[in-house]
Amino acid sequence: MSCRKRKRLTLAQKIEIIKFVEAENVGIRAVAEKFKIGKTQVSDILKNKLYLSQTSMEQGSEKSKRKFPKSNGEIIDTVIFQWYLHARANNLPISGPLLKEKALELASEVGLNDFKASNGWLQKFKDRHQISYKNTYADPALVKECVIIEWLNSVKETIKDYKECDIYNCDETGLFYRILPENTMNFINEACIDGNLSKERLTIMLCTNIDGEFEKPLIIGKVRKYNCFKNINIDNLEIVWKSNTKAWMTRRIMTDWLLDFDHRMTQSKRNIVLFLDNASSHPLLNNLQSIKLIFFPPYISSCCQPLKLGVIQNFKMFYRQCVLKHQLSFINNGPGLINKINVLHAILWIKCSIDEVKKSTVRNSFVKSGILNTGENQSEDNLATDEYKALVNRLVGDDSINYVGIDDKLLTENQSLDLIKIMQDIVGPQISDEDEDDTEDDTEDDTSNLLNEDIVLNNLGQISESVSRIRNKNLNLEIISTFAECKKVMLDRGKVFLKKLTDARNKVAKITLPFFVDGTNILTHSKSRVVLEAMKLAVNSQKRFHVFISESSPDKSGIEMYNCLKALDIPCTLILDSAVGYIMERVDMVMVGAECVVESGGIINKIGSCTMAICAKEFKKPFYVLTESYKFSRMYPLNQKDLPNNFKYTGNNSNDDNLLNAHPLVDYTHPSYISLLFTDLGILMPSAVSDELIKLYL
């Protein structure tokens, strides 16, 4: 059997093979036959298509062969160009003689005495990297007067044929993901380049279009896999996770992301515009198929980049709100809360915070930037919500230290002008994502388990614990010879389970008690045993409050709740379901139970709960859910139609072919409408439900 000699291919030929496979969607055998190469060679090319595409774009021509460093002169060229990018990011004026001087300085440092920084070298350097001389503006006001309008006019001409949904902006921001208000004074204006504080940071890149449709957030940490990622597939978290020792954005990470984004847009047959700031970590890729890159000129980014004009601030406000709610849930657990917050919490809160950013906020930011011209009236965004202010006032007292923007000056890339450090980063030992240490050697993360693991295992596993005990006593069950003995065992088990339910309700009532303030007006819906128990404890603790109860059609369970409250001598008023909007302005909070808490943190409860929650959010009233943890479920409904019929309808109706005329008994309330959940595990925010279930099931 003869062995086919491996054919040597140029980079251009490999790119041609990759494009052929993507366009024709054919198998490896067909590709091998067409290009007369081996199947193994085709497989190797397809496995490395991302790297080959990146190499081709960096060279600027697919006709050229792959180039390897041939001399130390190329190292000097690469380092000096990176230094030039850092200097430009710091708005420093750069001249030809300065570049030649820096090149000679670097050559001297590394012992390349034969290197000559001639005029010919300088001209070739400028040609290779497309560098030209332009005027610089030291005064931002001068830039605003002379440059911004002209630049915006040229941009509008460029993007005039693009739809609004195809105009994107992306930008990075640093985030102290663990920082609490009482720790803030240690972080103000901290550059966080190295040391202990750098362990507390992440870099997040957000990308959105004018319609407010966000791409998966790109999150950069210090290591590839933290301890809290154990048994978790990061790809399932709907993020792009990258890592390096500084948690910074790099040209390599950005190039990979751009290539992947371009591939997805090509697959979707979309052509888009992407606005980027002029950061040294943002490469100019000329051969992207579906993305046109537009870079903000120096000094313009701060006043013309949409994400910097409210979106990032809005996102951080929602993230800090998540941290404050988490703090509130552990307020009785003593010190050490900061160690309870890990990177997995941060990822979940980042996703939740992005979902909270309104589409109108994103659109307004594009209008403020001047990129989008509309005749519509621009509404003002209330970035500091009433809920956030209430949390800050309760836990801190005031926000004079700007808790939301405490990390606004955090560096997101390497801006060092030290030639030796730049060279070490480029030609020194580079640790890739695959080569990095698997876990973080950090004692803080070793102790930062997901929320209350012991409580989760003891309470969320109540039912499975009872089943396990029965299984472990199979030998005892085998000797039960009479029905009476079997009945006794089942009754004993039922009493144990009933006691746990009672204990759970009592615990919920106790942690809810501080929220019953004298003179409070509370709105509730339907009849909930745990809500009733909480109100009973409150009135026994000499709390004075008034309750409004909706009648809760169709079964009128609210009337039953009204009678129970009357029997306890609690002042209460029965209202029509249709009067919820009318009465909402008079109440201070809404307090309901739940039949089920789903994985997203939303609830399934008596029909009308969703309407009440939406109304509460519009009136800026907190919507509290009181529930036992055994009601947590791995269901993940996206809308009302996702609820199973056996949840929504009675047994008589659920088998009907046509349910259009049937009245549903329950509805789904989205977690964005829920302020807090009071459970026997503690006070949780909706996103924490996923934490509990992750630890329980994975």
Side-chain angles (χ1 to χ4, degrees), residues 177-440:
Y177 69 91
R178 283 179 174 171
I179 188 172
L180 300 175
E182 57 265 33
N183 304 113
T184 304
M185 296 303 292
N186 295 328
F187 293 81
I188 290 180
N189 295 330
E190 172 61 46
C192 195
I193 297 175
D194 210 341
N196 292 331
L197 296 187
S198 62
K199 296 180 181 179
E200 311 294 329
R201 65 158 295 158
L202 297 171
T203 294
I204 299 109
M205 189 184 79
L206 302 179
C207 180
T208 181
N209 60 11
I210 293 179
D211 289 344
E213 298 169 344
F214 282 86
E215 295 296 311
K216 291 180 183 179
L218 170 61
I219 305 176
I220 307 171
K222 288 177 61 65
V223 296
R224 184 170 65 90
K225 191 171 183 180
Y226 287 84
N227 292 331
C228 57
F229 290 170
K230 187 177 180 181
N231 299 324
I232 292 177
N233 185 350
I234 301 177
D235 294 335
N236 293 336
L237 297 177
E238 292 297 316
I239 63 165
V240 179
W241 175 260
K242 298 292 182 179
S243 59
N244 54 59
T245 55
K246 302 292 185 181
W248 277 342
M249 174 62 78
T250 64
R251 290 176 69 84
R252 176 184 174 182
I253 292 176
M254 192 65 189
T255 299
D256 289 345
W257 183 86
L258 283 171
L259 291 174
D260 179 70
F261 192 26
D262 181 61
H263 176 72
R264 286 187 284 112
M265 292 298 103
T266 302
Q267 294 293 100
S268 302
K269 297 182 179 179
R270 292 176 61 185
N271 290 313
I272 69 168
V273 171
L274 178 62
F275 286 91
L276 299 159
D277 59 16
N278 234 321
S280 61
S281 57
H282 293 171
L284 176 60
L285 304 182
N286 295 318
N287 295 333
L288 294 173
Q289 297 181 28
S290 301
I291 300 178
K292 180 176 180 59
L293 299 179
I294 298 180
F295 291 90
F296 293 102
Y299 288 115
I300 288 183
S301 177
S302 60
C303 57
C304 288
Q305 182 160 203
L307 286 175
K308 291 185 184 298
L309 298 178
V311 177
I312 290 178
Q313 183 185 359
N314 202 225
F315 157 76
K316 286 190 174 182
M317 185 270 295
F318 286 119
Y319 183 87
R320 303 297 185 211
Q321 194 167 293
C322 292
V323 175
L324 292 175
K325 287 183 179 179
H326 184 73
Q327 183 183 23
L328 184 61
S329 68
F330 281 86
I331 203 164
N332 295 321
N333 287 7
L337 170 63
I338 192 168
N339 292 335
K340 299 287 185 182
I341 300 176
N342 57 35
V343 176
L344 184 57
H345 289 103
I347 291 173
L348 296 173
W349 293 342
I350 287 168
K351 290 175 56 183
C352 179
S353 301
I354 291 174
D355 291 340
E356 287 290 327
V357 177
K358 295 181 180 179
K359 293 184 178 181
S360 60
T361 300
V362 177
R363 187 176 184 83
N364 287 343
S365 297
F366 274 90
V367 173
K368 292 176 186 176
S369 70
I371 295 174
L372 177 65
N373 282 338
T374 62
E376 58 197 48
N377 293 327
Q378 183 180 343
S379 60
E380 290 294 328
D381 296 316
N382 183 17
L383 297 180
T385 65
D386 292 340
E387 186 174 8
Y388 170 77
K389 290 179 179 177
L391 286 167
V392 171
N393 288 333
R394 179 170 182 180
L395 297 173
V396 186
D398 59 58
D399 196 20
S400 58
I401 52 178
N402 188 17
Y403 177 46
V404 168
I406 204 64
D407 42 23
D408 286 348
K409 295 184 179 180
L410 201 56
L411 295 180
T412 59
E413 63 174 8
N414 182 12
Q415 295 183 1
S416 172
L417 296 178
D418 189 318
L419 290 172
I420 300 302
K421 288 184 177 180
I422 294 174
M423 186 179 68
Q424 288 173 347
D425 287 341
I426 294 174
V427 301
Q430 296 183 358
I431 301 176
S432 67
D433 285 350
E434 292 74 23
D435 297 332
E436 286 175 354
D437 209 5
D438 276 347
T439 57
E440 178 191 24

Side-chain angles (χ1 to χ4, degrees), residues 141-171:
L142 185 61
V143 174
K144 191 171 184 179
E145 186 176 328
C146 300
V147 177
I148 294 180
I149 296 178
E150 180 182 351
W151 182 80
L152 284 174
N153 288 336
S154 65
V155 164
K156 290 173 186 175
E157 183 66 24
T158 303
I159 66 175
K160 66 180 181 179
D161 295 327
Y162 288 86
K163 299 177 182 178
E164 290 184 355
C165 63
D166 292 330
I167 301 175
Y168 284 80
N169 174 220
C170 73
D171 191 29

Side-chain angles (χ1 to χ4, degrees), residues 24-162:
E24 302 297 333
N25 194 22
V26 295
I28 291 178
R29 182 187 296 274
V31 178
E33 292 175 355
K34 175 176 174 59
F35 291 92
K36 295 181 173 54
I37 58 177
K39 292 185 288 185
T40 303
Q41 196 170 2
V42 175
S43 178
D44 291 342
I45 292 172
L46 296 180
K47 285 180 182 177
N48 296 291
K49 66 178 183 179
L50 191 63
Y51 172 75
L52 293 171
S53 300
Q54 176 182 345
T55 304
S56 173
M57 290 184 182
E58 287 178 346
Q59 291 180 2
S61 173
E62 295 180 355
K63 297 181 180 179
S64 59
K65 293 183 179 179
R66 180 180 174 187
K67 297 180 181 179
F68 295 90
K70 297 179 180 179
S71 67
N72 291 326
E74 292 194 16
I75 296 177
I76 291 179
D77 182 279
T78 304
V79 174
I80 293 300
F81 179 61
Q82 196 66 27
W83 178 89
Y84 165 78
L85 293 175
H86 291 185
R88 187 182 63 177
N90 286 279
N91 295 320
L92 298 177
I94 308 297
S95 63
L98 181 58
L99 284 175
K100 292 165 63 176
E101 180 182 344
K102 285 295 178 183
L104 289 172
E105 179 184 337
L106 177 62
S108 175
E109 288 284 351
V110 298
L112 300 178
N113 298 323
D114 295 335
F115 175 80
K116 303 295 183 183
S118 62
N119 290 333
W121 172 86
L122 177 61
Q123 185 59 47
K124 291 178 180 178
F125 178 84
K126 293 185 330 187
D127 292 342
R128 277 193 296 270
H129 301 294
Q130 300 178 10
I131 297 173
S132 62
Y133 290 109
K134 293 182 181 180
N135 291 334
T136 59
Y137 299 88
D139 185 1
L142 185 61
V143 174
K144 191 171 184 179
E145 186 176 328
C146 300
V147 177
I148 294 180
I149 296 178
E150 180 182 351
W151 182 80
L152 284 174
N153 288 336
S154 65
V155 164
K156 290 173 186 175
E157 183 66 24
T158 303
I159 66 175
K160 66 180 181 179
D161 295 327
Y162 288 86

Side-chain angles (χ1 to χ4, degrees), residues 479-642:
I479 63 174
I480 296 176
S481 57
T482 66
F483 176 77
E485 292 177 353
C486 182
K487 179 180 178 181
K488 182 177 183 302
V489 170
M490 297 305 294
L491 288 174
D492 289 342
R493 297 294 177 193
K495 290 177 182 178
V496 171
F497 185 65
L498 183 61
K499 184 179 184 304
K500 290 189 175 183
L501 299 188
T502 305
D503 291 344
R505 287 177 192 151
N506 291 337
K507 189 169 183 179
V508 174
K510 288 179 181 178
I511 64 175
T512 311
L513 185 60
F515 286 76
F516 286 89
V517 180
D518 286 345
T520 299
N521 289 324
I522 303 171
L523 175 62
T524 189
H525 183 59
S526 186
K527 181 184 178 182
S528 167
R529 292 184 178 88
V530 67
V531 172
L532 184 61
E533 187 65 31
M535 291 181 176
K536 180 180 178 181
L537 178 62
V539 76
N540 290 338
S541 301
Q542 308 302 316
K543 300 285 187 178
R544 298 189 300 274
F545 56 93
H546 189 96
V547 183
F548 294 93
I549 313 108
S550 58
E551 62 180 6
S552 309
S553 294
D555 61 359
K556 307 292 185 181
S557 54
I559 298 177
E560 187 178 350
M561 182 72 167
Y562 171 79
N563 293 331
C564 291
L565 293 175
K566 277 291 187 182
L568 295 172
D569 292 330
I570 297 177
C572 53
T573 303
L574 185 67
I575 66 171
L576 297 172
D577 290 340
S578 55
V580 167
Y582 174 82
I583 206 68
M584 188 63 71
E585 63 184 17
R586 294 178 55 187
V587 304
D588 299 296
M589 61 181 173
V590 180
M591 190 175 287
V592 301
E595 295 189 16
C596 176
V597 181
V598 299
E599 190 169 0
S600 63
I603 64 168
I604 299 173
N605 197 38
K606 180 66 182 295
I607 187 74
S609 299
C610 179
T611 304
M612 188 174 287
I614 294 173
C615 189
K617 178 135 187 163
E618 183 64 27
F619 278 83
K620 297 181 173 57
K621 308 291 184 180
F623 187 88
Y624 298 140
V625 177
L626 281 59
T627 183
E628 305 92 330
S629 60
Y630 72 86
K631 294 181 179 179
F632 287 11
S633 169
R634 295 195 70 186
M635 294 175 60
Y636 207 113
L638 299 177
N639 50 45
Q640 307 297 342
K641 291 182 179 180
D642 283 348

Side-chain angles (χ1 to χ4, degrees), residues 620-678:
K620 297 181 173 57
K621 308 291 184 180
F623 187 88
Y624 298 140
V625 177
L626 281 59
T627 183
E628 305 92 330
S629 60
Y630 72 86
K631 294 181 179 179
F632 287 11
S633 169
R634 295 195 70 186
M635 294 175 60
Y636 207 113
L638 299 177
N639 50 45
Q640 307 297 342
K641 291 182 179 180
D642 283 348
L643 299 182
N645 287 340
N646 60 342
F647 269 84
K648 292 192 288 186
Y649 304 103
T650 63
N652 295 332
N653 292 332
S654 59
N655 295 324
D656 292 350
D657 294 334
N658 186 1
L659 294 173
L660 294 178
N661 297 323
H663 198 301
L665 299 178
V666 296
D667 59 21
Y668 167 63
T669 302
H670 193 273
S672 62
Y673 300 123
I674 299 172
S675 303
L676 292 171
L677 294 117
F678 295 80

